[in-house]
Amino acid sequence: VGCAHDRVIRSFRNDLFPAYKTETGVPDDLLAQFPVAEEAILALGLTLWPMEELEADDALATAAARFAGDSAVEQVLVCTPDKDLAQCVRDTRVVLWDRRRDLVYDDAGVRAKWGVPPAAIPDWLALVGDAADGFPGIPGFGAVTAAAVLTAFGSLEGVRDAPLASWPATVRGAPRLTATLHERWSDALLFRDLATLRLDAPLPERTAAELQWRGTDADAWRAFCERWELPGLQARPHRWRAR
């Protein structure tokens, strides 16, 4: 188990695009819980990956790519409903788990949900935009249209260069859309860069064995619960570390 955490909200992506998500509008009482969450993860005995320049998503993407190649790993389960992480999915070896809805997305699931293969998720987000991350996408391209043209042409470059006669018949306004994409090409590339997760996050663990969870230290967990007056959580860990 590895837990990625945004120690701060701003990242290198704000240098690329100042309107990228910031702490603006985030309640102070929520921001104040960031260090408490890190403390809880460590008290549980889990591996923590706190991110500052990069984002938690970059840490998860790095881990997914790294440990998918570990022969000791049967499957990498990325526990998030975030569509950004769908780009990390590899067949049934790296999958997303939306715990709240109890849904697992493998390659086929990503295609069914978002209409494109995992590798095309950054291109799809570049066209559609991502309100949660603060970038708008390219005007005129909704989720269905973006999926249709990327399925037909594979990438932003393929969409840009495709002759109008070859555009899917289901897509309306192809001349307008292709003209807009040409006009906003630099924006499309920037948005794809913003949506593409990094695979070089500084994670010290190199093997799955280093991520093995051996249970929670009872004294450390109870001290955490007492400090933050959380008596209802004291008995929650289902495995205590052997002494």
Side-chain angles (χ1 to χ4, degrees), residues 9 24 80 140 183 204 219:
I9 295 180
T24 301
T80 177
E183 292 168 5
D219 292 340

Side-chain angles (χ1 to χ4, degrees), residues 188-209:
L189 294 180
L190 171 60
F191 299 155
R192 182 169 65 182
D193 283 345
L194 295 176
T196 300
L197 298 180
R198 295 270 293 270
L199 302 180
D200 60 349
L203 312 183
E205 294 79 15
R206 309 303 302 185
T207 67

